[in-house]
Amino acid sequence: MNEFTPTPGGDSAELAQFGYAQALERRTGRFASFAVAFAFVSIATGLFTTYGAVLNSSGPVGIWTWPIAVVGQVAVAMVLGTLASRIPVTGYAYQWMSRLANPVLGWIIGWVSFSFLAVVVVAVDYTIASTVLPVLLNYTATAGITWLVTALVLLGQAVLVGISTRWSERVNNAAVSAELIGMVALTVLLLVVAAVRGDMDAGNLWSHGAVPAEGFWSFGDWNSAGPWMLGFLLGAFTIVGFESAANLAEETNDPERVVPRAMVTAVVASGVLGFLFLVAVTLAAGDPVELAKSGTPIADVIERTLGSAVSTLLLLMVVIAIFACGLVIMMTGVRLTWAMSRDERFPGWQQWNQISPRFHTPLKATLMYVVLAQLILAVFSSSQDALFTLFGAATLLPAVIYAATVVLYLVKRKDLPANGKFDLGGWEVPVLGIAVIWLVFELSLFRDASFKDAWLYVLVMVVLGALYLGFLLARRGVHGLSMPDMHSIDATLDRRVGTNQP
């Protein structure tokens, strides 16, 4: 089909074809959309948080799992981007599944997505209070102090999300710019200074560290993954959330074109820059066995190589990156809650489907979301084991969501109208093949016994969701959950082409 250029009000008119009136302010541009996707991925947050775990599970050579994970996630982002271009509506996977499969499956994927967003914001923000600030400010992170700091960070993010989308995006844009510049500068400085001082050790790139060589490369058995295989969790935990740009589709100008490109670009940029940084840190790591004992190995390498001042700047950048990451997660969770409530499908939807006339944001949904996050924090903050469950669930749930969405695309791709704005074209089959292989492999890693509690959390949330879904079905029936289908989109595109409308 011929490409057409949106006319003034065109985005709102397109939204009306899905049965919705424009309720949110449409201000998000190209960089802001990219910044939302990049901030959720947040390589500074992910690498700072998980690099030590990789050293202990897989040794330094575990970083070579990263480029494989990046290729897999780029393929996933391209598939999800195609759906985002065809159905540019707030609610992303919930909307895609509801409209292309059926509303019951859509509700399930929406609830799973909400379960992910509810825990990951707590897990991410807790990192500031438990790991970064104690080193930066040189204090002992007791359970009480860590809980208080995390609670304050959550509250600050909620204030921004609830009061002003414009200021939330400004803060995020600035944070992402700082993260991009900071990560590039740190990578270059590490490589140059370590080379000049003769502190580089290329052998680190192939070192097992303290991990035994026996069975190192094995796939594992029925309830455990091999040591090197566990290294893939570095990418699986970090390179997620890029689809958050799709959840601001109703606030983005020309979302059919802007959103999918923002998603793919964010993954590619995160993947390339993240790997270069990992190589630089590993080359300058010194003794990887000793480094693995540290709670902040990346900060230790920076301080030893570049000095305490640069190490302090790194920690400040990580704090900013984590805050922005949590901010975008909260914004995404609030938008999903509002989208499901707009369709009268979320518990307490009568309150959460409202847009504040003063702030033009889903203010009540924001209040609900931050209260829930504070409750999750209160339950989990007293136990390190419980917090590991949060991180495990935050890694597992996106893989489940991505797998379900890719399967949806496989089944329904022939029914999707071409819009000339983001199409896989001749790359569709190889991209789908890579995405499927990657997700099957990634999900197989979660058979490891260390994810038992994470699976338990997923089970509890699924049961709670099933109970409410049963209530909805008993009260309304399946037809009571129906949504507009894709025929209206076909008709709209056909009319535009038939009349040669620009």
Side-chain angles (χ1 to χ4, degrees), residues 411-431:
V411 174
K412 288 290 186 176
R413 62 193 178 97
K414 300 294 185 183
D415 299 331
L416 291 171
N419 65 0
K421 293 192 173 185
F422 190 85
D423 296 306
L424 296 180
W427 290 96
E428 183 180 53
V429 172
V431 166

Side-chain angles (χ1 to χ4, degrees), residues 39 41 45 76-77 93 116 144 218 289 333 337 359 366 383 435 438 482 492 498-499:
V41 174
T45 302
V76 173
F116 162 59
S218 70
V289 176
T337 303
F359 300 114
T366 305
S383 169
W438 160 244
S482 61
T492 300
T499 60

Side-chain angles (χ1 to χ4, degrees), residues 137-161:
L137 303 178
N138 193 27
Y139 69 86
T140 302
T142 64
I145 293 176
T146 302
W147 172 83
L148 178 61
V149 172
T150 307
L152 291 174
V153 172
L154 286 167
L155 185 60
Q157 291 161 341
V159 169
L160 273 172
V161 172

Side-chain angles (χ1 to χ4, degrees), residues 109-234:
I109 202 69
W111 182 255
V112 172
S113 300
F114 175 79
S115 301
F116 162 59
L117 294 167
V119 299
V120 72
V121 70
V122 179
V124 165
D125 286 350
Y126 193 86
T127 305
I128 292 181
S130 64
T131 306
V132 187
L133 284 182
V135 176
L136 181 63
L137 303 178
N138 193 27
Y139 69 86
T140 302
T142 64
I145 293 176
T146 302
W147 172 83
L148 178 61
V149 172
T150 307
L152 291 174
V153 172
L154 286 167
L155 185 60
Q157 291 161 341
V159 169
L160 273 172
V161 172
I163 298 302
S164 175
T165 299
R166 181 184 298 184
W167 274 103
S168 295
E169 289 189 347
R170 285 176 177 173
V171 169
N172 185 57
N173 289 350
V176 166
S177 298
E179 184 175 356
L180 284 167
I181 294 170
M183 292 296 287
V184 170
L186 282 171
T187 301
V188 172
L189 283 171
L190 274 173
L191 291 172
V192 171
V193 174
V196 169
R197 290 182 176 177
D199 291 338
M200 278 191 177
D201 187 351
N204 281 349
L205 296 176
W206 318 106
S207 170
H208 294 182
V211 182
E214 185 178 355
F216 182 84
W217 302 100
S218 70
F219 187 70
D221 53 31
W222 288 106
N223 64 349
S224 66
W228 192 69
M229 298 299 168
L230 289 174
F232 282 94
L233 297 175
L234 175 66

Side-chain angles (χ1 to χ4, degrees), residues 347-406:
W349 59 266
Q350 296 90 337
Q351 296 297 318
W352 323 134
N353 68 352
Q354 300 176 29
I355 298 296
S356 168
R358 179 179 179 183
F359 300 114
H360 308 290
T361 64
L363 181 59
K364 289 187 175 181
T366 305
L367 293 174
M368 184 280 294
Y369 187 86
V370 72
V371 168
L372 176 62
Q374 297 285 7
L375 290 174
I376 292 173
L377 172 64
V379 170
F380 285 90
S381 62
S382 61
S383 169
Q384 289 294 328
D385 291 338
L387 283 166
F388 180 80
T389 300
L390 282 184
F391 280 101
T395 310
L396 166 62
L397 284 167
V400 173
I401 296 166
Y402 295 156
T405 308
V406 168

Side-chain angles (χ1 to χ4, degrees), residues 314-339:
L314 164 71
L315 293 172
L316 284 173
M317 184 189 72
V318 170
V319 169
I320 293 170
I322 293 176
F323 183 86
C325 180
L327 179 70
V328 167
I329 293 169
M330 186 172 292
M331 189 184 299
T332 305
V334 167
R335 293 316 190 266
L336 176 61
T337 303
W338 174 77

